[in-house]
Amino acid sequence: MDVLGAVAASLFQFGDTFAFLVLSASGLAIIFGMMGVINLAHGEFIMCGAYVTVLASRAGLPLPAAILAGALAAGLAGMVVERLVVRHLYSRPLDTIVATWGISLIASQGTLILMGSTMQGVGTPLGSLEVGGYHYSGYRLVLIAVALALLLALYLFFNRTRFGVLARATIQVPHMAEALGVDTRRVYSLTFGLGAALAGLTGGLYAPTMTMVPTMGATFIVEAFVTVVVGGADVFLGTAPAAAVLGVVKAGLTAGYGQLFGQIGLLVAVIGFIRMLPKGISGFILRERA
Amino acid sequence: MPDGTLLATTGLRAGYGGKPVLQNVDLAVRRGEIVAVIGRNGVGKSTLMKTLMGLLPASAGSVTLEGRPIDGLPAHRRARLGVGYVPQGRDVFPRMTVEENLRVGEMLRNGPVPRADYDEIYASFPILAERRAQRAGTMSGGQQQQLAIARVLIGRPGLILLDEPSEGIQPSIVQEIGQRMVALNRATGLTIILVEQNLDMIRAMAQRCYVMDKGRIVAELDAEALSDRDTVRRYLAV
Ligand SMILES: Nc1ncnc2c1ncn2[C@@H]1O[C@H](COP(=O)(O)OP(=O)(O)OP(=O)(O)O)[C@@H](O)[C@H]1O
Ligand SMILES: [Mg+2]
């Protein structure tokens, strides 16, 4: 019984880390993988989703609806940013980094001015349950399920829907997609919006577990970038395996030696990965297959 | 248009960055024609095709489709007017399956494509039917060429821009492709602008031919001139 309990506890620990990595990274991974844009405002889209979720929830919306509102708001903000800034810089990747960094500063400082340095949050729902002598947060179990469902949904979206097929065509050979009648600008705009909406969803999902401050996006950003770097450009072949591997490393070290060593181990693992697989896990898989 | 002109250019110029390639290209293609554009390597044939498609901006001159100027339209809007582009090098979507590649071609048509159209395409390109779930990047050059052609045909274009379909493909498949395009042209009135250097392909398909050199049209060959092998060979070596 003790052993089973301990196994369940480490599984939970791993699932919790895995979910956090997947949810932090998916929006960033889609924007990077589909468009080659490194979006340094990713954390602020997360923050936007979290703030809108909390405001909507305090205004009386049930939490799931409030989270969707947060995702939607971040997605719309993303499409506006794409239209006004990113679109003009597609051929200049370095400038995109600087521009999105600027947007990130404006968004977090703007929020600080408008909303103050902290905002009252919403409590974590669902309480906790006890299994084999260990206590688990019910809400965190839900987050694990959501992360898995999100991976499945994204896979189906990009492989089974018409838009998904057109979006993949657009990343693979942009001029050819355009010549076949695909409005590639619109594809880029919607893809950026989707990435931002996923960031907003993440913010909304974690909002009940966090303190609401304008810089809260920074909590996610290291994990998000680390996962995307290890995963490489392909969302499905990269992000999920990277989150799994890094989840094992981080959850293992955190359980054994505490939070700090978990974080250090994560970063050391990333350095190792970059040395061995410079194009990330998906780059490796694709080369093997080609 | 009274004279049945489908596509025409006047004084067309285009190039890459500061480097001019097309210098004053005038040509006209009637509905239902198969017209070849021939010339040596690097004279600007592919540049002409990209400019017609709207992938490369014209720096001067005009392109009309059914009498209406299309100069301001981006490539995807031209495609939706029924212009199908089969580029040199084929440019299939390598990490998508054959069927997914075809699905992108549906965008040429402004409406849903019935399943029967896929059956028809698969019937005329059996190799694609066999490999419909295979990734396009893993197929041979000839198979990719057939896919690139099928990918525009699924969108029922009125005009196809076909850039060196014979390049790097074994002769039996070249012949097969040529015959299929001619049959389609006869059956549906499909208009084809063909860039080609393969003498047999030119003679098998083209009803008329423009000769290009250094970014200009330097000669026009009618059916009679085309029927003479040596004439065509001489112009290919211009
Ligand atoms: N993307 C590009 N950027 C710059 N110059 C280019 C580009 N593509 C082609 N060129 C140049 O433009 C000129 C015309 O090229 P184009 O591809 O149109 O020739 P082509 O007649 O199609 O030749 P080929 O028979 O080899 O396909 C060549 O000098 C070529 O080097
Ligand atoms: Mg060429």
Side-chain angles (χ1 to χ4, degrees):
Chain A
M1 195 63 217
D2 257 9
V3 179
L4 275 183
V7 168
S10 18
L11 263 181
F12 174 80
Q13 187 60 242
F14 164 72
D16 189 41
T17 314
F18 175 78
F20 186 76
L21 292 169
V22 165
L23 290 168
S24 298
S26 56
L28 189 70
I30 282 183
I31 290 175
F32 173 64
M34 306 292 274
M35 308 169 66
V37 168
I38 296 171
N39 173 26
L40 286 187
H42 181 64
E44 280 56 47
F45 288 122
I46 293 179
M47 182 267 292
C48 168
Y51 268 67
V52 171
T53 298
V54 167
L55 291 173
S57 160
R58 295 218 316 248
L61 233 54
L63 188 60
I67 291 172
L68 285 183
L72 209 63
L76 290 175
M79 286 176 65
V80 170
V81 165
E82 195 274 345
R83 183 74 194 77
L84 296 180
V85 181
V86 178
R87 170 169 298 186
H88 308 284
L89 302 173
Y90 281 135
S91 49
R92 291 145 64 184
L94 291 179
D95 294 357
T96 322
I97 298 180
V98 177
T100 54
W101 186 45
I103 290 164
S104 130
L105 294 177
I106 293 168
S108 59
Q109 295 304 309
T111 308
L112 179 67
I113 293 167
L114 291 175
M115 316 284 299
S117 59
T118 67
M119 186 172 83
Q120 189 198 331
V122 294
T124 313
L126 299 178
S128 78
L129 55 134
E130 196 197 317
V131 180
Y134 291 84
H135 289 270
Y136 300 103
S137 152
Y139 189 66
R140 289 202 171 262
L141 286 171
V142 169
L143 291 181
I144 295 173
V146 169
L148 292 173
L150 182 72
L151 285 173
L152 181 67
L154 284 176
Y155 178 82
L156 292 176
F157 179 71
F158 280 107
N159 286 284
R160 295 291 149 79
T161 68
R162 177 187 196 79
F163 179 82
V165 170
L166 299 182
R168 282 162 55 223
T170 302
I171 10 163
Q172 289 179 27
V173 195
H175 70 269
M176 198 58 229
E178 174 77 26
L180 289 170
V182 179
D183 186 347
T184 49
R185 288 182 143 212
R186 195 163 150 267
V187 169
Y188 285 136
S189 165
L190 290 171
T191 306
F192 199 91
L194 174 66
L198 289 175
L201 176 73
T202 302
L205 286 168
Y206 282 95
T209 70
M210 295 179 68
T211 321
M212 302 296 293
V213 293
T215 53
M216 65 188 293
T219 319
F220 299 84
I221 209 85
V222 172
E223 266 84 351
F225 271 94
V226 154
T227 309
V228 171
V229 165
V230 170
D234 192 291
V235 183
F236 307 107
L237 297 175
T239 306
V245 173
L246 296 175
V248 169
V249 172
K250 189 174 177 208
L253 287 171
T254 303
Y257 306 95
Q259 201 87 47
L260 178 65
F261 277 91
Q263 199 72 20
I264 292 173
L266 185 71
L267 296 176
V268 171
V270 171
I271 294 169
F273 262 106
I274 298 173
R275 296 229 54 137
M276 288 185 306
L277 309 174
K279 296 208 146 189
I281 294 177
S282 62
F284 176 72
I285 295 175
L286 289 173
R287 198 182 39 199
E288 287 292 283
R289 195 190 274 163
Chain B
M1 294 295 279
D3 59 350
T5 301
L6 179 60
L7 179 130
T9 69
T10 43
L12 195 64
R13 291 171 182 272
Y16 303 94
K19 180 187 174 203
V21 176
L22 299 185
Q23 331 244 17
N24 259 326
V25 172
D26 294 303
L27 52 80
V29 176
R30 284 186 296 279
R31 199 183 311 277
E33 265 192 316
I34 302 182
V35 175
V37 176
I38 68 174
R40 281 172 304 123
N41 288 333
V43 297
K45 305 180 299 291
S46 296
T47 304
L48 172 65
M49 300 295 248
K50 285 184 234 167
T51 312
L52 293 179
M53 193 62 227
L55 291 169
L56 200 63
S59 54
S62 174
V63 182
T64 59
L65 189 68
E66 296 184 314
R68 280 192 309 265
I70 54 170
D71 304 293
L73 298 185
H76 73 268
R77 296 277 303 280
R78 299 187 192 196
R80 290 180 197 179
L81 293 174
V83 182
Y85 177 53
V86 182
Q88 186 172 13
R90 310 176 267 272
D91 284 339
V92 296
F93 302 111
R95 291 198 277 127
M96 287 170 33
T97 64
V98 165
E99 175 120 352
E100 286 173 335
N101 268 269
L102 295 179
R103 280 184 70 190
V104 181
E106 286 186 11
M107 294 301 290
L108 285 177
R109 224 193 284 198
N110 296 307
V113 172
R115 193 64 221 176
D117 288 21
Y118 278 85
D119 298 338
E120 203 177 299
I121 289 284
Y122 283 137
S124 39
F125 297 94
I127 188 72
L128 298 183
E130 208 174 285
R131 303 188 174 226
R132 68 178 76 183
Q134 186 175 330
R135 282 166 189 262
T138 63
M139 300 199 304
S140 74
Q143 292 161 356
Q144 290 188 12
Q145 186 66 59
Q146 297 182 59
L147 176 57
I149 291 172
R151 186 173 60 178
V152 298
L153 289 179
I154 198 82
R156 294 255 161 109
L159 168 68
I160 290 189
L161 309 176
L162 195 53
D163 196 347
E164 297 214 26
S166 72
E167 195 183 49
I169 296 181
Q170 66 190 74
S172 64
I173 297 191
V174 170
Q175 205 180 11
E176 210 179 295
I177 290 176
Q179 284 164 355
R180 200 166 294 141
M181 298 310 286
V182 171
L184 257 168
N185 163 267
R186 295 226 173 97
T188 67
L190 174 69
T191 310
I192 299 172
I193 303 181
L194 168 76
V195 166
E196 194 46 87
Q197 304 204 56
N198 177 321
L199 189 61
D200 294 325
M201 188 79 154
I202 296 167
R203 295 184 67 243
M205 281 185 66
Q207 299 156 3
R208 199 157 65 81
C209 172
Y210 289 104
V211 182
M212 209 172 173
D213 190 31
K214 297 190 186 126
R216 296 167 204 275
I217 304 290
V218 293
E220 197 184 326
L221 310 182
D222 57 13
E224 198 185 335
L226 267 176
S227 66
D228 182 29
R229 258 188 111 81
D230 291 330
T231 311
V232 182
R233 183 171 298 144
R234 204 165 56 243
Y235 276 109
L236 274 174
V238 160

